[in-house]
Amino acid sequence: MPETGFARYATWARARRLLREFGYEQTQPDRFYSALAEDTAQMVAACHPAQLAGATVLDVGGGPGFFADAFTRRGAAYLSVEPDAGEMHAAGLDHRTAIRAQGQHLPLRTGSVDVAYSSNVAEHTDRPWEMADELVRVTRPGGTVIVSYTLWWGPFGGHEMGLTHYLGGHRAARRYTRRHGKLPKNLYGVSLFPITAQAGLTWARRQTGADLVAAFPRYLPHWTWPVVRVPGLREVAATNLVLVLRKT
């Protein structure tokens, strides 16, 4: 499978930097999401065959708005879709380019955007591939579809519940609640669902309206990318899978 231009950015230095930033997700979310937004914009720009300047970029699950600045700095016309009103207003940012809607039913015309992507959203819906189908539908021919998601069997599959998700999702949630005196934000079976690399690869390869052009671990250095080709191992070692498709 051909690689994207993002490979040259996938270094050890980047991996270490992002791992350090993940430690601030709960305590300093502004810092964490700003860093993640910049990295995401760089990834999308490298995976799209044309310049982002002047392109329409759709972000499904855009959250509180940190990603907008990262894309507009690159000259893109940014539009986000977010189903959760609480998430949209969590950071008090401007939402003039945001739509409240479900990813499985995007209120956009077929073939209306140049890039459609979803970053770390698929594991939070029980119908991820319906959402992914919608990303393909709204993308123009020649455009780029990117789906990136956290793998359940990887070390970050439990999100804030840590490695306890290996004991089972419901048990991990109960342990978290006992320890912290509150439910986890990402509650198993409600806002967090088990999702695999195999499911995503199967969905992408069965697409009739788009071709899979790349699949790689999002946060790992480039030399580790072949792990995606190894069934079983990729479910744990890849941690977060990126699927890049070109609309036909």
Side-chain angles (χ1 to χ4, degrees), residues 164-180:
T164 62
H165 71 292
Y166 288 123
L167 303 174
H170 293 299
R171 181 177 294 176
R174 290 194 296 269
R175 286 171 62 94
Y176 182 94
T177 303
R178 286 197 301 269
R179 180 177 180 182
H180 297 278

Side-chain angles (χ1 to χ4, degrees), residues 123-124 152 158-161 169-170 172-174 176-177 182-193:
E123 67 266 31
H124 299 295
W152 173 251
H159 287 56
E160 71 269 35
M161 293 181 291
H170 293 299
R174 290 194 296 269
Y176 182 94
T177 303
K182 62 179 181 179
L183 291 172
K185 175 183 177 182
N186 300 289
L187 184 60
Y188 183 80
V190 177
S191 57
L192 181 64
F193 300 88

